[in-house]
Amino acid sequence: MLPASILKWHSRISNTAHFPESTFEVDAAGGPVQELPLTIDRTAQRPLSVQLADALRAAALDGRLRAGDRLPSTRALAGQLRTSRTVVTSAYDQLHAEGWISGRHGSGTYLTAAPTAIPDNVGRAAVARDEPQLSDLFSGYPCVAALDRAAWRRAWRGAGDRMPSEHKHRAGEPDYLAAVTEHLLRHRGLGPGADSTVLATAGTGSAVGELARSVLRRGDAVAIEDPGYLRAAGALRDADIRVVPVPVDAGGIRIDRIPTDVRAVYCTPAHQFPLGARMPAGRRIELVAFARRTGAWIIEDDYDGELRYDSAPLPLLATLAPDRVIHLGTTSKILSTTLGAGWLVAGQEVTTALLAHREMVGTSPAPAGQLVVAELARHGDLARHLRRLRREMPPRRALVVEELRAHGLDVTGDHAGSHVLVPLGSAAAEQAAVTAARQRGVLLDGLRRHHLGRRSTFGVVLGYAALPRTELRAAVTIAAECLAAAR
């Protein structure tokens, strides 16, 4: 039965007589499907019944019509299309013979499941979505299974109970900024400084794009880890910033390979993405010294800094050099991508420039996700969620590592975050593993897509946060077999 919220079905007739547009009406009890544009051309050589049958097939293939939808009666559709009932009856008869529709005595005509054999004159690309669902082991997804659904619903209700705002808060919703400030102090050791300000963002990529247009200038060079986070590189390039790939090793970005003329260095020191290294204290000090010597900014992406469960985290770069570091964080890896909420912590020079840019272009992060996070924090649910997440992730990681090593595979990456790396010896081995796993229903994240310059590292990144544990175990077994064979 169709929901009461179904809208109208607009039947548009393309012909020289310019027939007026008309609609089908439906009641809440369920009637003919609506909001379905159909076009028949009276000037074309093809019969009108063939055109109508083709239009209905296309609607079924692209999702405008779904199995179980009730079609208008032949009389009603003929009246709306200003054509004879014979045209509609002929189209329906053809579709019935092909298995697209079926009639129910006393009820009407309904669309059945699309048959396996698709007519050649209907775009086959439209049914690509019907391939079996693949188990996705890509990195970067949050563990939504750890969310307390009651707390999640309570937070959304609390956010919805607030009165709508009359104006935009360019810096972010005040309650959200307060929640982030407390979160950073309790979970990341970043206290509010006299010269530092917390701003809301729409996430890491958005924040990098804003910095590129407010703090940096067109043509500036920014050093970025290679392999690294390509969306940050894309945001920079979109603002005509020159991206300079810098190799990484077991300690993160190599300071000795950063050109001295860069205006900023983008890095992920807590858990290098995608190789998983943790930048040691000595290199952090070295990077800060480089920034102060050259006048460069350090953009510290702390994308999953909260997900450390084997040891205490090292001090943030922002605590070592609040005058040179722009600290970025996001809720997308610890809560859900639904919220689209992140944060930025920086000194007055940076935040003033960023707020001026927002005022000039009239943008600011959407408040809805911020209000939900504020409600989660207000009830203590955010802190409880992080504790639950830190309990959930270690056994997932152990499951993955145990299976991979049982197949004789090396596993690298710090004991943190939500992904590990299986290094391979060549690009061919990496591609072979990815291809073989996909053929068996598993999506693997090869390092190829994470490189900015010449490839130096080969392997597969395995994310273990998103899948249910039973599906994760099965998918990792397939991944391990394909990786071992490719190696």
Side-chain angles (χ1 to χ4, degrees):
M1 177 180 261
L2 296 175
S5 58
I6 287 181
L7 304 176
K8 297 178 179 179
W9 177 6
H10 294 280
S11 256
R12 289 189 285 187
I13 302 101
S14 172
N15 50 47
T16 55
H18 303 293
F19 286 93
E21 186 178 85
S22 54
T23 61
F24 283 106
E25 299 292 341
V26 67
D27 58 26
V33 71
Q34 307 158 64
E35 189 56 39
L36 181 63
L38 293 176
T39 302
I40 58 175
D41 185 357
R42 297 177 186 278
T43 65
Q45 295 296 317
R46 295 167 64 241
L48 296 182
S49 61
V50 174
Q51 294 184 45
L52 179 57
D54 287 348
L56 288 168
R57 284 194 206 93
L61 286 172
D62 65 20
R64 288 175 291 163
L65 279 175
R66 291 169 294 184
D69 281 350
R70 178 183 167 192
L71 299 181
S73 68
T74 55
R75 188 185 303 278
L77 185 53
Q80 292 297 326
L81 295 178
R82 305 286 181 84
T83 188
S84 72
R85 189 178 176 186
T86 303
V87 168
V88 181
T89 300
S90 178
Y92 277 17
D93 286 346
Q94 180 61 36
L95 293 172
H96 186 274
E98 294 174 5
W100 291 90
I101 63 176
S102 63
R104 302 178 190 173
H105 182 69
S107 177
T109 302
Y110 292 82
L111 182 75
T112 60
T116 302
I118 305 298
D120 290 337
N121 61 339
V122 178
R124 293 181 182 269
V127 296
R129 67 184 189 283
D130 289 334
E131 75 172 25
Q133 183 67 39
L134 301 176
S135 295
D136 194 340
L137 288 177
F138 265 53
S139 56
Y141 297 137
C143 183
V144 295
L147 278 171
D148 181 339
R149 299 306 171 91
W152 181 252
R153 289 191 295 268
R154 180 168 59 243
W156 280 94
R157 284 197 302 268
D161 286 341
R162 300 186 182 220
M163 288 297 295
S165 299
E166 297 85 3
H167 62 281
K168 292 184 177 180
H169 297 284
R170 300 293 182 198
E173 295 297 311
D175 288 352
Y176 174 73
L177 299 178
V180 168
T181 300
E182 181 182 3
H183 169 81
L184 290 173
L185 178 61
R186 293 179 58 187
H187 299 281
R188 302 301 291 128
L190 180 58
D195 298 325
S196 296
T197 302
V198 179
L199 299 182
T201 71
T204 300
S206 174
V208 171
E210 286 191 299
L211 290 170
R213 289 176 169 80
S214 58
V215 177
L216 303 177
R217 297 186 298 269
R218 181 176 297 178
D220 281 347
V222 173
I224 188 168
E225 300 161 328
D226 188 25
Y229 186 44
L230 293 195
R231 287 181 179 171
L236 292 167
R237 286 171 171 158
D238 187 58
D240 292 328
I241 300 297
R242 183 164 56 92
V243 173
V244 181
V246 176
V248 299
D249 59 17
I253 192 167
R254 291 185 53 179
I255 315 302
D256 62 319
R257 299 291 294 274
I258 303 176
T260 56
D261 63 341
V262 297
R263 282 289 311 281
V265 179
Y266 171 89
C267 59
T268 52
H271 192 218
Q272 199 277 328
F273 185 82
L275 301 187
R278 175 171 56 166
M279 185 181 289
R283 188 168 298 189
R284 293 175 188 238
I285 293 172
E286 186 182 355
L287 179 56
V288 168
F290 171 88
R292 287 190 169 136
R293 183 173 66 252
T294 62
W297 296 106
I298 300 173
I299 303 175
E300 177 183 34
D301 182 354
D302 195 44
Y303 68 98
D304 68 355
E306 299 88 351
L307 301 184
R308 176 160 297 283
Y309 33 81
D310 68 324
S311 62
L314 291 170
L316 295 173
L317 293 173
T319 63
L320 298 176
D323 57 321
R324 299 311 311 164
V325 175
I326 304 169
H327 178 85
L328 303 180
T330 180
T331 61
S332 294
K333 303 300 183 290
I334 59 174
L335 284 168
S336 167
T337 57
T338 302
L339 301 172
W343 55 83
L344 174 152
V345 184
Q348 184 175 0
E349 179 182 349
V350 171
T351 56
T352 299
L354 197 151
L355 288 174
H357 173 75
R358 289 180 179 177
E359 191 64 42
M360 178 183 69
V361 299
T363 61
S364 56
Q370 299 175 45
L371 295 177
V372 172
V373 175
E375 287 294 315
L376 287 169
R378 185 167 71 90
H379 293 285
D381 292 321
L382 179 57
R384 281 189 287 272
H385 170 72
L386 289 175
R387 290 195 294 270
R388 190 161 46 249
L389 198 58
R390 293 189 186 108
R391 291 194 301 268
E392 174 71 19
M393 300 308 287
R396 285 173 170 264
R397 187 183 192 278
L399 181 159
V400 172
V401 172
E402 179 182 348
E403 186 67 28
L404 293 171
R405 288 181 175 162
H407 285 77
L409 297 162
D410 293 330
V411 182
T412 64
D414 211 32
H415 288 242
S418 57
H419 71 268
V420 296
L421 172 70
V422 178
L424 294 171
S426 67
E430 177 185 310
Q431 185 58 48
V434 171
T435 301
R438 184 180 183 91
Q439 290 172 347
R440 296 181 62 183
V442 175
L443 288 176
L444 295 184
D445 187 9
L447 281 180
R448 176 181 180 180
R449 77 181 185 98
H450 298 292
H451 278 81
L452 292 160
R454 183 177 180 180
R455 294 196 63 185
S456 58
T457 311
F458 311 99
V460 167
V461 184
L462 290 173
Y464 50 82
L467 291 180
R469 284 205 204 182
T470 52
E471 186 178 349
L472 175 64
R473 184 180 296 277
V476 169
T477 298
I478 293 173
E481 292 170 355
C482 294
L483 287 163
R487 181 197 56 182

